[in-house]
Amino acid sequence: DMRNASDPYDEEEDDDNLRQIVVGICSMMKKSNSKPMTQIMERLCKFEYITVVIFPEDVILNEPVEKWPLCDCLISFHSKGFPLDKAVSYAKLRNPLLINDLHMQYFIQDRREVYRILQEEGIDLPRYAVLNRDPDRPKECNLVEGEDHVEVNGEVFHKPFVEKPVSAEDHNVYIYYPTPAGGGSQRLFRKIGSRSSVYSPESAVRKTGSYIYEEFMPTDGTDVKVYTVGPDYAHAEARKSPALDGKVERDSEGKEIRYPVMLTAMEKLVARKVCLAFKQTVCGFDLLRANGHSFVCDVNGFSFVKNSMKYYDDCAKVLGNMVMRELAPQLHIPWSIPMEAEDIPIVPTTSGTMMELRCVIAVIRHGDRTPKQKMKMEVFFDLFEKYGGYKSGKLKLKKPKQLQEVLDIARQLLSELGQHNDCEIEEKKSKLEQLKTVLEMYGHFSGINRKVQLTYLPNGQLKASSEEEDTLMSGPSLLLVLKWGGELTPAGRVQAEELGRAFRCMYPGGQGDYAGFPGCGLLRLHSTYRHDLKIYASDEGRVQMTAAAFAKGLLALEGELTPILVQMVKSANMNGLLDSDSDSLTDCQQRVKARLHDIMQKDQDFTEEDYQKLAPTSSPSLLNSMKIIQNPVRTCDKVYALIQSLTRQIRSRLEDPKSASLQLYHSETLELMLQRWSKLERDFRMKNGRYDISKIPDIYDCIKYDTQHNSSLGLEDTLELFRLSRALADIIIPQEYGISKLEKLDIASAYCLPLFRKIQLDLQRTHEDEAVNKLHPLYSRGVMSPGRHVRTRLYFTSESHVHSLLSIFRYGGLLNEGKDEQWKQAMDYLSAVTELNYMTQIVIMLYEDNNKDPSSEERFHVELHFSPGVKVCPDEENAPMGFGFRPASSQEDLGSLEDLSKDEPDHTALTEPLSIHRKSPLLANRKAGSMEVRTFSLHMPAKALCIQSNLPYPRMAWYEFGISGETFQEGGVGQTLLLPSREHAGYWWQRGALCRNDFGIGPLFLCAAGFEGCSMVPSIYPLETLHNSLSLKQVDEFLSKVCESRNETLTKTMKFFKRHHRVQASNIAEMEVCRLAQLFNLWFK
């Protein structure tokens, strides 16, 4: 019986009618009448001896406690407007059994008290400090704010950090992001419609009010909310973190989408501790899973799970048993505790004969960037010592404060050198001027767009550029390298985001509706917390932003990249996983570069001997480039003349008032464009008349950038400069990573050993890993495969790691080309690839056949796929031809990818003709040249299309719909195109439009929200399968062999080093300090 009345129950009952236990609900009406409360109380009333009475809100607010209804057990909790003091008085007056202690609810309203209690109970929570802006507590109000940190009462918090008001009723929690990630803050608030947070460019902390400052915990965008019902019962749900993009995911009923997850044994112990410490039987709290640990970050007090019938049943049963156990003996009610288990563990198993996708590993190069620029000089010994450079012999200065110090020193030195006229000093002054100019760019230090590297050279440095002639410095020196440029462009962001969208299609169920997500397997997996995703990136800004943009597209996120970067992308520079700072590769690579330099300095046509020296692997792409070049010096002469012509044209444009202030792509000016080309002109041809071939990649980099992004300038001979510099770069770039196979392996393993070890670990089975979110099989409403769990590891890096990784797969002995025809075809294809361009991908996919014996080699199946990345438009006719994605796929094979659309009971497959007509969002622009934009219709089910075209299900190159074949409408006549067949390679998808331009598969103009203006965004080569029938044992043994071989090489190197170099780092620091200081002073005198 459930009543809503203020009348006390009749204590004078007949002996035949046993006394009822009255459970009183004392809370605000909105809470008492909520769906969870109603559902649970209805179930509670099914207990034979329990009656529920709801206290009217008017009585609670306006009547004295003496007139409140009587009850034996009280469920009362604070919410906005609730008179907690009166509830405490009522409990003191009537002494009912309290489900949730009332005095402790005062503490729950103060985050400072919550954290104090958690600490006293030994419960892990983020590192924090309290800032009390209270006149009576002046010692607790010491705040020092820096560029990327705050110091609170002596405790330093580096960004990202969290700022929480001390009042738990104030939901305006701010997260502050570091300057290298873009700065600004994410402002969280109580949900309003579909928003729970918003990004703000404001980076300064609040100056009024009291706050808790705490370390930000990287949770990969997922929060876990735990709901206890007594110390022995806990229900956990995961939801998308409100800090990620601020968009609340809601179901068809408008409820926030959450999915129950399984708690680890340690987390269950934490739930028990929280319940008992705060004396709240029904209690909700927030759990952050980060770095393999779980941290409590908030305790909410009385909270019910929403929309879970199983939870309603369990909660009512646990509460009912608790009430009866405590009060039945006192009231002489005959009752015994039911002997049934309340939480039966069910181990989910995967059924069926189909192979399940278990793991996806991808190594991806960053997206389109501005040209990288670099300058070297010897200075700034004091800074090197200040920031601990002698510990490793190297130092990177990237923080605003550090760069400001470098700028201040440069300004001071320039003012001191102002009166000198010596030619050598003038050359040094020009370098200092350039250093000053670069550091003063943008007017402030923000983002990751400039850095200074300092390297200690105990024996000086052999120099080989126009700036530094071929002389060996005597004695130690300190080399400063200034790097700028290399920023991810708007086009690069679009490339990464679109590739992220396309990447979904490789997962089971990828054929579903793209826009609405219901059948899209990856989104379904991720939203139901059956997807263990980790994204790693090197410490380069362009790489990190590429990773964030990719994650945005992959997971259908919204808003700015900064919150996604901070929460989803892990920096991997701590252990050399994705960065190129390995000293062990220096000797081999220097020898290779020296040989390259010698061969490319011959003023004669390449001889047969040169072909053997430069291309011992007989790579077709290399041989073709050598045929184009013929005489390397003569080709360099042409390139140099074309650069001179280009700088003359830019200078003439600058002199023209009409074009002098012209804004180029990505806010570059003609003056800045002239600076980078003039520097290349100076550096490429040295004073002795020889060419510095190390500048060839930079020349190709610049002309590729200007050909794509600044073609509207109409500069003459740019395509010829592009053609020649590309031919030179196609030799220099890949051969810098080794000329012979052994050299390629040596250099590659030096770069990639940590990454190879990590990939080997990633390929291990993960279903028993307790550190990841798992869906609870008991509560999984509408999810037909709760046991499915896919691990995805994405590694974003630079060109060096991609070259190295591919070299190891090609030359490391994974398979024998003579015995494996598919591998031979794959090697032929890779040999024809000229460039590993932006967004190059190497993808490993692991499948499991649960019907095979666990010890059988046939249990696990590995596939290796590759894409050379972005298409280089002007030379598309020479594109290498692969054999497609999973070329052996047939109708039977397609069924091996289990269809995740089964998770959606209301999802039906396409069985009738569906006509799609969309207006293209592409903007017409005169700069693009002629372009046709046409509509299309789909007349076949997606699966049938894939089978007919012998393509994967689906091919991942087609971004919008994930469909491989369409009927193309032209002049009223339908012509079936089975994209992307080679005869139709000039057509490609971009945001729902089928387009062709003058270059075949070309750049098209795309105006995307959040990007500046419109730019040409080239499409990306689809994945090609290198091999699709490897066993896990094969791959594991291969990876082990590579790692062991590298370890042996390192051991030999270390023994040699110890024999010949007995100088300790500490001695270097002590003995060379004075000498360096003298050199530094003499240099400027």
Side-chain angles (χ1 to χ4, degrees), residues 484-497:
W484 70 99
E487 299 172 61
L488 189 69
T489 64
R493 292 191 184 195
V494 172
Q495 289 165 356
E497 195 173 330

Side-chain angles (χ1 to χ4, degrees), residues 945-957:
L945 287 166
C946 295
I947 295 168
Q948 184 171 339
S949 59
N950 196 29
L951 293 172
Y953 188 32
R955 188 173 178 104
M956 66 165 288

